């Protein structure tokens, strides 16, 4: 959360950019750091991906998108009808209600697309890591055979 002085307006975009930057810095520190004990090539993996975790997060993003697509649309028809009725009744607030309706729809779509992107990306990442593990295992088999002969 971004704390602000009274009267200071922090836009969503600015706050989102700050949060993304902080997350990127935390990720960079985790990826670029070495384990405290036995790091680097001592048999301990430098990067570990737990496919179960990726799958769970991807599933959560999918479920969030599913619920949000339904629950985020409850007020749309009534808001649109109210905007039209107010506009037809020559109320100035009709156009403002329509703007709120359109603004909500735009940002709801962005959020739904983001949830879908996260879910799809994690599903892809999970599948790609499985393929990489198989390939690396296959690539290392001949090397381990050579190592046995060299002993």
């Amino acid at each position: 959360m971004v704390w602000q002085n009274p009267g200071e307006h922090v836009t969503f975009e600015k706050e989102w950019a700050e949060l993304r930057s902080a997350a990127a810095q935390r990720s960079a520190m985790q990826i670029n750091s070495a384990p405290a004990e036995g790091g680097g090539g001592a048999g301990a993996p430098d990067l570990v991906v737990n496919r179960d975790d990726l799958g769970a997060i991807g599933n959560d993003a999918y479920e969030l998108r599913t619920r949000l697509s339904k629950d985020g649309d409850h007020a749309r028809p009534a808001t649109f009808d109210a905007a039209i009725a107010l506009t037809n009744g020559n109320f100035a607030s009709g156009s403002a209600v329509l703007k709120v309706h359109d603004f909500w729809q735009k940002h709801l779509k962005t959020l739904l697309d983001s949830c879908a992107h996260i879910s799809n990306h994690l599903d892809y990442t999970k599948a790609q890591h499985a393929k990489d593990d198989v390939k690396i295992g296959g690539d290392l088999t001949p090397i381990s055979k050579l190592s046995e002969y060299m002993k």
Side-chain angles (χ1 to χ4, degrees):
M1 173 178 273
V2 175
W3 297 98
Q4 56 189 12
N5 295 327
E8 180 184 352
H9 179 71
V10 176
T11 65
F12 172 80
E13 289 80 11
K14 180 179 177 187
E15 184 177 351
W16 182 244
E18 290 172 0
L19 292 171
R20 284 182 21 212
S21 175
Q25 289 174 353
R26 282 193 308 272
S27 295
M29 287 189 296
Q30 291 171 356
I31 291 172
N32 291 333
S33 65
E37 294 180 10
D46 290 344
L47 175 63
V48 176
V49 176
N50 187 329
R51 286 190 286 268
D52 293 337
D53 290 343
L54 293 177
I57 295 167
N59 188 57
D60 288 347
Y62 176 78
E63 288 178 5
L64 176 61
R65 186 193 182 287
T66 301
R67 286 192 336 257
L68 188 59
S69 67
K70 178 183 171 204
D71 296 340
D73 198 43
H74 281 298
R76 182 191 50 78
T79 304
F80 185 76
D81 291 346
I84 298 303
L86 288 168
T87 301
N88 289 342
N90 293 323
F91 287 96
S93 60
S95 64
V97 173
L98 187 57
K99 284 181 184 177
V100 169
H101 169 272
D102 294 346
F103 184 81
W104 175 255
Q105 286 307 111
K106 176 184 171 188
H107 289 286
L108 177 61
K109 181 182 180 331
T110 300
L111 186 55
L112 289 170
D113 290 347
S114 296
C115 288
H117 181 74
I118 290 167
S119 177
N120 292 341
H121 179 71
L122 290 173
D123 287 345
Y124 170 80
T125 301
K126 181 179 172 183
Q128 189 61 44
H129 279 291
K131 289 177 186 175
D132 290 346
D133 285 346
V134 169
K135 182 181 182 324
I136 291 168
D139 290 348
L140 292 178
T141 300
I143 295 171
S144 62
K145 292 290 184 194
L146 285 174
S147 296
E148 286 177 24
Y149 293 127
M150 301 293 275
K151 289 182 180 180

